[in-house]
């Protein structure tokens, strides 16, 4: 049976009956996305691999934790990944190379401005959406981008970000709200285009 | 706990979606969402699109095949272990069985990976064989092309010789001198057509014997006191040879009439004075 054509939710249904092939299909579909988020948060390949393994084995052990009524599988999977990565980052922060995320300016120096580092073969899933949100992220004012990244990938609260940057809490809240509205807008616009075609 | 109204709640839902609220803020928002279906729907939308939008900005990195092997083997073990009794005196048996299952799973996964490697090896070998065959074919085509080029060159030379002979034959003062083979080549014969006015001639020989390596036939125009070379030529498999002679270019004595035409065997490249055996001769008178 060809599992590659099945939707995420159909594969998750099969996990309930311990279908290892369905699990492998989900792994193949999202392992790189999960690993990428974990690596972005923890900054260490070995720790990111441990997080990836843990996330997928959680899915395998308890597929019932995913509730299809609450949204897409990939959204839930990446949320689990992000939360698990933040926990790992806090637990092992002394072992990690990066105590803190780079600043927006430093990050611009480190990361390419486009998807040049991305392997096209890996980007078959979500590739259009990924490009759209990365373009949107690049167009954000640096202070909005930094606030969002410190929150999502750095696991900091708005108050912690305000303290770290020496900015009023209200300013940080505004930056996150405006930046997130643009990011969501870019993703929803992309999805609407997909629906149109 | 702070009671939020809708505008305050909606200000926080994006930060909530990416985990930027502290515990107290999150509890206050969740309390509002439990009472307000409109805000709850907006928060779901923010969670759905907001978290995805930010998560996908992480640079895409490739997970390793070894990690996949590890995850799949672990999943196989978990499947086996969770289906066995895990209580009482048999717990150690379950653990041992899980270990065995792990080994088997890892071995099985290794076999799968090995088969993939074998298939890639086979494809690689097939591609290399194909490349070799194409190289051989390319060499063959190149050889054929070279042979055709050589043939073309020979054909062009033959056509040039034929044109020159035709030019001699059509001269108004053309003369025809038969040449006969000597004791060295008794079966050989030739015709030499020549124009005294134009100082040009054409030799058409046949039945000449094949020569050894380093030898060639050389034509001579013999005057009373001088042998002038008319050039050297080779013969084909039937012993036939053609040569166009331009005596004016070879140092013919001014105003002198030739007495004999001869062909000798000389060293390759020809000589300035005849030294080898004579194979053909004909009287010019």
């Amino acid at each position: 049976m060809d599992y590659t054509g099945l939707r995420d939710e159909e594969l998750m249904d099969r996990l309930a009956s311990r279908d290892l092939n369905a699990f492998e299909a989900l792994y193949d579909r999202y392992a790189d996305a999960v690993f990428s988020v974990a690596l972005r948060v923890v900054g260490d390949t070995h720790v990111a691999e441990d997080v990836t393994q843990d996330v997928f084995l959680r899915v395998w052990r308890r597929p019932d934790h995913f509730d299809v009524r609450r949204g897409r599988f990939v959204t839930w999977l990446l949320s689990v990944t992000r939360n698990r990565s933040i926990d790992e980052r806090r637990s092992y922060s002394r072992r990690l190379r990066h105590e803190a995320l780079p600043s927006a300016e430093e990050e611009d120096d480190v990361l390419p401005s486009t998807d040049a580092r991305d392997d096209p073969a890996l980007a078959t899933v979500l590739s259009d959406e990924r490009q759209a949100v990365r373009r949107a992220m690049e167009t954000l004012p640096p202070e909005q981008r930094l606030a969002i990244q410190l929150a999502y990938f750095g696991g900091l609260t708005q108050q912690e970000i305000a303290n770290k940057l020496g900015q009023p809490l209200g300013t940080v809240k505004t930056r996150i709200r405006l930046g997130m509205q643009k990011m969501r807008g870019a993703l929803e616009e992309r999805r609407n285009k997909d629906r149109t075609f | 706990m702070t009671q939020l109204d809708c505008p305050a709640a909606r200000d926080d839902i994006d930060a909530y979606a990416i985990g930027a609220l502290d515990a107290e803020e999150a509890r206050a928002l969740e309390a509002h969402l439990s009472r307000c279906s409109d805000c709850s729907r907006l928060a779901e939308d923010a969670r759905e699109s907001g978290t995805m939008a930010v998560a996908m900005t992480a640079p895409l990195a490739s997970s390793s095949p070894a990690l996949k092997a590890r995850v799949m083997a672990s999943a196989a073990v978990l499947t086996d272990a969770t289906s066995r009794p895990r209580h009482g005196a048999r717990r150690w048996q379950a653990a041992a069985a899980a270990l065995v299952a792990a080994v088997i799973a890892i071995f099985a996964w290794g076999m799968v990976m090995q088969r993939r490697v074998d298939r890639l090896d086979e494809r690689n070998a097939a591609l290399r064989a194909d490349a070799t065959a194409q190289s051989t074919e390319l060499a063959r085509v190149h050889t054929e092309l070279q042979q055709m080029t050589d043939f073309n060159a020979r054909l062009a030379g033959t056509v040039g010789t034929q044109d020159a002979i035709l030019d001699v034959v059509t001269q108004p003062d053309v003369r025809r001198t038969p040449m006969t083979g000597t004791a060295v080549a008794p079966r050989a014969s030739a015709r030499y057509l020549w124009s005294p006015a134009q100082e040009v001639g054409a030799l058409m020989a046949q039945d000449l014997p094949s020569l050894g390596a380093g030898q060639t036939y050389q034509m001579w125009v013999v005057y009373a006191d001088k042998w002038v070379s008319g050039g050297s030529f080779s013969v084909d498999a039937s012993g036939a040879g053609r040569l166009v002679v331009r005596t004016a270019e070879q140092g013919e004595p001014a105003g002198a009439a030739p007495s004999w035409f001869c062909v000798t065997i000389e060293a390759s490249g020809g000589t300035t004075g005849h030294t080898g055996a004579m194979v053909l001769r004909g009287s010019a008178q």
Side-chain angles (χ1 to χ4, degrees), chain B residues 70-110:
Chain B
R70 216 166 77 197
V71 172
M72 295 307 297
S74 300
V77 170
L78 286 170
T79 306
D80 194 70
T82 52
S83 65
R84 292 171 185 271
R86 302 173 65 97
H87 53 79
R90 293 185 180 274
R91 287 184 70 174
W92 67 271
Q93 289 179 328
L99 182 62
V100 170
V103 172
I104 291 170
I106 291 169
F107 179 74
W109 195 253

CSV table of all heavy atoms in Angstrom, one decimal, chain B residues 70-110:
chain,number,residue,atom,x,y,z
B,70,ARG,N,17.2,4.9,14.3
B,70,ARG,CA,17.0,4.8,15.7
B,70,ARG,C,15.5,4.9,16.1
B,70,ARG,O,15.0,4.2,16.9
B,70,ARG,CB,17.8,6.0,16.3
B,70,ARG,CG,18.5,5.7,17.6
B,70,ARG,CD,19.5,6.8,17.9
B,70,ARG,NE,18.9,8.0,18.4
B,70,ARG,CZ,19.5,9.2,18.4
B,70,ARG,NH1,20.7,9.3,18.0
B,70,ARG,NH2,18.9,10.3,18.9
B,71,VAL,N,14.9,5.9,15.5
B,71,VAL,CA,13.5,6.1,15.8
B,71,VAL,C,12.6,4.9,15.4
B,71,VAL,O,11.8,4.5,16.2
B,71,VAL,CB,12.9,7.4,15.1
B,71,VAL,CG1,11.4,7.6,15.3
B,71,VAL,CG2,13.7,8.6,15.7
B,72,MET,N,12.8,4.4,14.2
B,72,MET,CA,12.0,3.3,13.8
B,72,MET,C,12.3,2.0,14.6
B,72,MET,O,11.3,1.3,14.9
B,72,MET,CB,12.3,3.0,12.3
B,72,MET,CG,11.9,4.1,11.3
B,72,MET,SD,10.2,4.7,11.5
B,72,MET,CE,9.3,3.2,11.1
B,73,ALA,N,13.5,1.8,15.0
B,73,ALA,CA,13.8,0.6,15.8
B,73,ALA,C,13.2,0.8,17.2
B,73,ALA,O,12.6,-0.1,17.7
B,73,ALA,CB,15.3,0.5,16.0
B,74,SER,N,13.2,2.0,17.7
B,74,SER,CA,12.6,2.3,19.0
B,74,SER,C,11.1,2.1,19.0
B,74,SER,O,10.5,1.5,19.9
B,74,SER,CB,12.9,3.7,19.5
B,74,SER,OG,14.3,3.9,19.6
B,75,ALA,N,10.5,2.6,17.9
B,75,ALA,CA,9.0,2.4,17.7
B,75,ALA,C,8.7,0.9,17.7
B,75,ALA,O,7.7,0.5,18.3
B,75,ALA,CB,8.6,3.1,16.5
B,76,ALA,N,9.5,0.2,16.9
B,76,ALA,CA,9.2,-1.3,16.8
B,76,ALA,C,9.3,-2.0,18.2
B,76,ALA,O,8.5,-2.8,18.5
B,76,ALA,CB,10.2,-1.9,15.8
B,77,VAL,N,10.3,-1.6,19.0
B,77,VAL,CA,10.5,-2.1,20.3
B,77,VAL,C,9.3,-1.7,21.2
B,77,VAL,O,8.7,-2.6,21.9
B,77,VAL,CB,11.8,-1.6,21.0
B,77,VAL,CG1,11.8,-2.0,22.4
B,77,VAL,CG2,13.0,-2.1,20.2
B,78,LEU,N,8.9,-0.5,21.1
B,78,LEU,CA,7.7,0.0,21.9
B,78,LEU,C,6.5,-0.8,21.6
B,78,LEU,O,5.7,-1.2,22.4
B,78,LEU,CB,7.5,1.5,21.7
B,78,LEU,CG,8.5,2.4,22.4
B,78,LEU,CD1,8.3,3.8,21.9
B,78,LEU,CD2,8.3,2.3,23.9
B,79,THR,N,6.3,-1.1,20.3
B,79,THR,CA,5.1,-1.8,19.9
B,79,THR,C,5.1,-3.2,20.5
B,79,THR,O,4.1,-3.7,21.1
B,79,THR,CB,5.2,-2.1,18.3
B,79,THR,OG1,5.3,-0.8,17.7
B,79,THR,CG2,3.9,-2.7,17.8
B,80,ASP,N,6.3,-3.8,20.5
B,80,ASP,CA,6.4,-5.2,21.0
B,80,ASP,C,6.3,-5.2,22.5
B,80,ASP,O,5.5,-6.0,23.1
B,80,ASP,CB,7.8,-5.8,20.6
B,80,ASP,CG,7.8,-7.3,20.9
B,80,ASP,OD1,7.1,-8.0,20.1
B,80,ASP,OD2,8.4,-7.7,21.8
B,81,ALA,N,6.9,-4.2,23.2
B,81,ALA,CA,7.0,-4.2,24.6
B,81,ALA,C,5.6,-3.9,25.2
B,81,ALA,O,5.2,-4.5,26.2
B,81,ALA,CB,7.9,-3.2,25.1
B,82,THR,N,4.8,-3.0,24.5
B,82,THR,CA,3.5,-2.6,25.1
B,82,THR,C,2.5,-3.7,24.9
B,82,THR,O,1.4,-3.7,25.5
B,82,THR,CB,3.0,-1.3,24.4
B,82,THR,OG1,3.0,-1.5,23.0
B,82,THR,CG2,3.8,-0.2,24.8
B,83,SER,N,2.8,-4.7,24.0
B,83,SER,CA,1.8,-5.7,23.8
B,83,SER,C,2.0,-6.9,24.7
B,83,SER,O,1.4,-7.9,24.6
B,83,SER,CB,1.9,-6.2,22.3
B,83,SER,OG,3.1,-6.8,22.1
B,84,ARG,N,3.0,-6.9,25.6
B,84,ARG,CA,3.3,-8.0,26.5
B,84,ARG,C,3.0,-7.7,27.9
B,84,ARG,O,2.9,-6.5,28.3
B,84,ARG,CB,4.8,-8.4,26.4
B,84,ARG,CG,5.2,-8.9,25.1
B,84,ARG,CD,6.7,-9.0,25.0
B,84,ARG,NE,7.1,-9.4,23.6
B,84,ARG,CZ,7.2,-10.7,23.3
B,84,ARG,NH1,7.0,-11.7,24.1
B,84,ARG,NH2,7.5,-11.0,22.0
B,85,PRO,N,2.7,-8.7,28.8
B,85,PRO,CA,2.5,-8.5,30.2
B,85,PRO,C,3.7,-7.9,30.9
B,85,PRO,O,4.8,-8.2,30.6
B,85,PRO,CB,2.2,-9.9,30.8
B,85,PRO,CG,2.8,-10.8,29.8
B,85,PRO,CD,2.7,-10.2,28.5
B,86,ARG,N,3.4,-6.8,31.7
B,86,ARG,CA,4.5,-6.1,32.4
B,86,ARG,C,4.4,-6.2,33.9
B,86,ARG,O,4.8,-5.2,34.6
B,86,ARG,CB,4.5,-4.7,31.9
B,86,ARG,CG,4.6,-4.5,30.4
B,86,ARG,CD,4.5,-3.1,30.0
B,86,ARG,NE,5.6,-2.3,30.5
B,86,ARG,CZ,6.6,-2.0,29.8
B,86,ARG,NH1,6.8,-2.4,28.6
B,86,ARG,NH2,7.6,-1.2,30.4
B,87,HIS,N,3.8,-7.2,34.5
B,87,HIS,CA,3.6,-7.2,35.9
B,87,HIS,C,4.2,-8.5,36.5
B,87,HIS,O,4.4,-9.5,35.8
B,87,HIS,CB,2.2,-7.1,36.3
B,87,HIS,CG,1.3,-8.1,35.5
B,87,HIS,ND1,1.2,-9.4,36.0
B,87,HIS,CD2,0.6,-7.9,34.4
B,87,HIS,CE1,0.4,-10.0,35.1
B,87,HIS,NE2,0.0,-9.2,34.2
B,88,GLY,N,4.3,-8.5,37.8
B,88,GLY,CA,4.7,-9.7,38.5
B,88,GLY,C,6.0,-10.3,38.1
B,88,GLY,O,6.9,-9.6,37.7
B,89,ALA,N,6.2,-11.6,38.2
B,89,ALA,CA,7.5,-12.2,38.1
B,89,ALA,C,8.0,-12.2,36.6
B,89,ALA,O,9.1,-12.5,36.3
B,89,ALA,CB,7.4,-13.7,38.6
B,90,ARG,N,7.0,-11.9,35.7
B,90,ARG,CA,7.4,-12.0,34.3
B,90,ARG,C,7.9,-10.7,33.7
B,90,ARG,O,8.2,-10.6,32.5
B,90,ARG,CB,6.2,-12.4,33.5
B,90,ARG,CG,5.8,-13.9,33.8
B,90,ARG,CD,4.7,-14.3,32.8
B,90,ARG,NE,4.3,-15.7,33.1
B,90,ARG,CZ,4.9,-16.7,32.6
B,90,ARG,NH1,5.9,-16.6,31.8
B,90,ARG,NH2,4.5,-17.9,32.9
B,91,ARG,N,8.1,-9.7,34.6
B,91,ARG,CA,8.6,-8.4,34.1
B,91,ARG,C,9.9,-8.5,33.4
B,91,ARG,O,10.2,-7.9,32.4
B,91,ARG,CB,8.6,-7.3,35.2
B,91,ARG,CG,7.2,-6.9,35.6
B,91,ARG,CD,7.2,-5.8,36.6
B,91,ARG,NE,7.7,-4.6,36.0
B,91,ARG,CZ,7.7,-3.4,36.7
B,91,ARG,NH1,7.3,-3.4,37.9
B,91,ARG,NH2,8.2,-2.3,36.1
B,92,TRP,N,10.8,-9.3,34.1
B,92,TRP,CA,12.2,-9.4,33.5
B,92,TRP,C,12.1,-10.1,32.1
B,92,TRP,O,12.9,-9.8,31.2
B,92,TRP,CB,13.1,-10.2,34.4
B,92,TRP,CG,12.7,-11.7,34.6
B,92,TRP,CD1,11.8,-12.2,35.4
B,92,TRP,CD2,13.1,-12.8,33.7
B,92,TRP,NE1,11.7,-13.6,35.2
B,92,TRP,CE2,12.5,-13.9,34.2
B,92,TRP,CE3,14.0,-12.9,32.7
B,92,TRP,CZ2,12.7,-15.2,33.6
B,92,TRP,CZ3,14.2,-14.1,32.1
B,92,TRP,CH2,13.6,-15.3,32.6
B,93,GLN,N,11.1,-11.0,32.0
B,93,GLN,CA,11.0,-11.6,30.7
B,93,GLN,C,10.6,-10.6,29.6
B,93,GLN,O,11.0,-10.6,28.5
B,93,GLN,CB,9.9,-12.7,30.7
B,93,GLN,CG,10.4,-14.0,31.5
B,93,GLN,CD,9.4,-15.0,31.6
B,93,GLN,OE1,8.2,-14.7,31.6
B,93,GLN,NE2,9.8,-16.3,31.7
B,94,ALA,N,9.7,-9.7,30.0
B,94,ALA,CA,9.2,-8.7,29.1
B,94,ALA,C,10.4,-7.8,28.7
B,94,ALA,O,10.6,-7.4,27.5
B,94,ALA,CB,8.1,-7.8,29.8
B,95,ALA,N,11.2,-7.5,29.7
B,95,ALA,CA,12.4,-6.6,29.4
B,95,ALA,C,13.4,-7.3,28.5
B,95,ALA,O,13.9,-6.7,27.5
B,95,ALA,CB,13.1,-6.2,30.7
B,96,ALA,N,13.6,-8.6,28.8
B,96,ALA,CA,14.5,-9.4,27.9
B,96,ALA,C,13.9,-9.4,26.5
B,96,ALA,O,14.6,-9.3,25.5
B,96,ALA,CB,14.7,-10.8,28.5
B,97,ALA,N,12.6,-9.7,26.4
B,97,ALA,CA,12.0,-9.8,25.1
B,97,ALA,C,12.1,-8.5,24.4
B,97,ALA,O,12.3,-8.4,23.2
B,97,ALA,CB,10.5,-10.2,25.3
B,98,ALA,N,11.9,-7.4,25.1
B,98,ALA,CA,12.1,-6.0,24.5
B,98,ALA,C,13.5,-5.8,23.9
B,98,ALA,O,13.6,-5.3,22.8
B,98,ALA,CB,11.7,-4.9,25.5
B,99,LEU,N,14.5,-6.3,24.7
B,99,LEU,CA,15.8,-6.2,24.3
B,99,LEU,C,16.1,-7.0,23.0
B,99,LEU,O,16.6,-6.5,22.0
B,99,LEU,CB,16.8,-6.7,25.4
B,99,LEU,CG,18.3,-6.5,25.1
B,99,LEU,CD1,18.6,-5.0,24.9
B,99,LEU,CD2,19.1,-7.1,26.2
B,100,VAL,N,15.6,-8.2,23.0
B,100,VAL,CA,15.7,-9.1,21.8
B,100,VAL,C,15.0,-8.4,20.6
B,100,VAL,O,15.5,-8.3,19.5
B,100,VAL,CB,15.1,-10.5,22.1
B,100,VAL,CG1,15.0,-11.3,20.8
B,100,VAL,CG2,15.9,-11.2,23.1
B,101,ALA,N,13.8,-7.9,20.9
B,101,ALA,CA,13.0,-7.2,19.8
B,101,ALA,C,13.8,-6.0,19.3
B,101,ALA,O,13.8,-5.8,18.1
B,101,ALA,CB,11.7,-6.8,20.4
B,102,ALA,N,14.5,-5.3,20.2
B,102,ALA,CA,15.3,-4.2,19.8
B,102,ALA,C,16.4,-4.6,18.8
B,102,ALA,O,16.6,-4.0,17.8
B,102,ALA,CB,15.9,-3.4,21.0
B,103,VAL,N,17.1,-5.7,19.3
B,103,VAL,CA,18.2,-6.2,18.4
B,103,VAL,C,17.6,-6.6,17.1
B,103,VAL,O,18.2,-6.2,16.0
B,103,VAL,CB,18.9,-7.3,19.1
B,103,VAL,CG1,19.9,-8.0,18.2
B,103,VAL,CG2,19.6,-6.8,20.4
B,104,ILE,N,16.5,-7.3,17.1
B,104,ILE,CA,15.9,-7.8,15.8
B,104,ILE,C,15.5,-6.6,15.0
B,104,ILE,O,15.7,-6.6,13.8
B,104,ILE,CB,14.7,-8.7,16.1
B,104,ILE,CG1,15.2,-10.0,16.7
B,104,ILE,CG2,13.9,-9.0,14.8
B,104,ILE,CD1,14.1,-10.9,17.3
B,105,ALA,N,14.9,-5.6,15.6
B,105,ALA,CA,14.4,-4.4,14.9
B,105,ALA,C,15.6,-3.7,14.3
B,105,ALA,O,15.5,-3.3,13.1
B,105,ALA,CB,13.6,-3.5,15.8
B,106,ILE,N,16.7,-3.5,15.0
B,106,ILE,CA,17.8,-2.8,14.5
B,106,ILE,C,18.4,-3.6,13.4
B,106,ILE,O,18.8,-3.1,12.3
B,106,ILE,CB,18.9,-2.6,15.6
B,106,ILE,CG1,18.3,-1.5,16.6
B,106,ILE,CG2,20.2,-2.1,15.1
B,106,ILE,CD1,19.1,-1.4,17.9
B,107,PHE,N,18.5,-5.0,13.6
B,107,PHE,CA,19.0,-5.8,12.5
B,107,PHE,C,18.2,-5.7,11.3
B,107,PHE,O,18.7,-5.6,10.1
B,107,PHE,CB,19.1,-7.3,13.0
B,107,PHE,CG,19.6,-8.2,12.0
B,107,PHE,CD1,21.0,-8.2,11.7
B,107,PHE,CD2,18.8,-9.1,11.3
B,107,PHE,CE1,21.5,-9.1,10.8
B,107,PHE,CE2,19.3,-10.0,10.4
B,107,PHE,CZ,20.6,-10.0,10.1
B,108,ALA,N,16.9,-5.8,11.5
B,108,ALA,CA,15.9,-5.7,10.3
B,108,ALA,C,16.1,-4.4,9.6
B,108,ALA,O,16.1,-4.3,8.4
B,108,ALA,CB,14.5,-5.9,10.8
B,109,TRP,N,16.2,-3.3,10.4
B,109,TRP,CA,16.3,-2.0,9.8
B,109,TRP,C,17.7,-1.9,9.0
B,109,TRP,O,17.7,-1.4,7.9
B,109,TRP,CB,16.3,-0.9,10.9
B,109,TRP,CG,16.0,0.4,10.2
B,109,TRP,CD1,16.9,1.4,10.1
B,109,TRP,CD2,14.9,0.8,9.6
B,109,TRP,NE1,16.4,2.5,9.4
B,109,TRP,CE2,15.1,2.1,9.1
B,109,TRP,CE3,13.6,0.3,9.4
B,109,TRP,CZ2,14.2,2.9,8.4
B,109,TRP,CZ3,12.7,1.0,8.7
B,109,TRP,CH2,12.9,2.3,8.2
B,110,GLY,N,18.7,-2.5,9.6
B,110,GLY,CA,20.0,-2.6,8.9
B,110,GLY,C,19.9,-3.3,7.6
B,110,GLY,O,20.5,-2.9,6.6
